[in-house]
């Protein structure tokens, strides 16, 4: 029997590989895009449910809260950073400081989501923290004194000098998730403000 070796057509092989890789890329891109839109739709639906329970603040409410932190402000400049909305706060042309609106969702039937504003002075000092919704414990609002004791430990500290570690923060007894989400929000503010300060 006479065996003959077929000559490999390298050109056809390379073209075939290129076509195959191109089709694979198109398939993978379509798959990733479909998954992205599906996930985004789920996020939007979940956000819609959250907004029904915790309606977004109106412009008037937002300005009233910022006014508690900066009583003599005249205008604000807004920037959105994911779940955190930042505001540069001015009196005429003078920068008074920064306000950050934080929203941390808690997937827990007996917990309230954590929503608050942090006010920072020009030197990165935490001037004030204003809660949009009071902290809750097993569905009941915590006493005002508990809020004050918890929040006071953050005031007058420089946001860039604070690590917000579990050892540094004294949490609210029984409200572990609320405390953790609050601290997560403060870490988020620290990270965003660090970037904001470098571009001023």
């Amino acid at each position: 029997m006479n065996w003959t070796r077929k000559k490999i057509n390298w050109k056809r092989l390379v073209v075939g590989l290129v076509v195959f890789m191109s089709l694979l890329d198109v398939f993978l891109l379509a798959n990733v895009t479909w998954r992205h839109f599906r996930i985004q739709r789920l996020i939007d639906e979940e956000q819609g449910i959250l907004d029904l329970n915790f309606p977004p603040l109106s412009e008037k409410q937002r300005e009233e809260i910022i006014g508690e932190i900066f009583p003599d402000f005249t205008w604000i400049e807004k920037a959105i950073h994911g779940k955190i909305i930042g505001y540069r706060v001015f009196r005429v042309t003078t920068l008074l400081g920064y306000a950050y609106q934080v929203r941390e969702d808690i997937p827990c039937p007996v917990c309230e989501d954590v929503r608050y504003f942090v006010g920072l002075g020009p030197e990165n000092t935490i001037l004030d923290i204003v809660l949009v919704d009071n902290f809750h414990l097993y569905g009941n609002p915590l006493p005002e004194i508990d809020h004050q004791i918890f929040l006071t430990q953050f005031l007058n500290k420089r946001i860039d000098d604070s690590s917000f570690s579990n050892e540094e923060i004294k949490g609210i007894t029984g409200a572990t998730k609320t405390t953790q989400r609050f601290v997560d929000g403060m870490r988020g503010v620290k990270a965003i403000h660090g970037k904001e300060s470098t571009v001023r």
Side-chain angles (χ1 to χ4, degrees), residues 31-49:
N31 191 23
V32 168
T33 304
W34 177 78
R35 284 175 182 270
H36 169 76
F37 283 115
R38 188 163 171 247
I39 290 167
Q40 191 58 52
R41 199 184 84 191
L42 291 172
I43 290 170
D44 290 344
E45 285 174 4
E46 184 181 320
Q47 191 62 54
I49 293 166

Side-chain angles (χ1 to χ4, degrees), residues 173-189:
T173 305
T176 309
K177 286 183 178 161
T178 299
T179 302
Q180 189 56 55
R181 287 294 184 272
F182 181 92
V183 174
D184 289 344
M186 293 298 288
R187 289 183 185 134
V189 169

Side-chain angles (χ1 to χ4, degrees), residues 53-97:
N53 294 324
F54 304 98
L57 295 177
S58 67
E59 190 174 332
K60 184 181 176 188
Q61 289 171 311
R62 180 195 67 196
E63 290 186 357
E64 283 172 358
I65 292 172
I66 292 175
E68 288 182 44
I69 304 168
F70 301 99
D72 51 352
F73 89 96
T74 53
W75 64 284
I76 57 177
E77 186 178 74
K78 177 179 177 182
I80 296 175
H81 307 277
K83 292 187 292 184
I84 296 176
I85 303 173
Y87 304 94
R88 296 176 75 200
V89 185
F90 295 86
R91 182 180 62 243
V92 192
T93 57
T94 304
L95 176 66
L96 298 176

Side-chain angles (χ1 to χ4, degrees), residues 102-116:
V102 180
R103 175 177 181 163
E104 290 286 337
D105 306 325
I106 305 180
C108 162
V110 293
C111 307
E112 296 289 327
D113 286 352
V114 177
R115 301 197 299 172
Y116 60 94

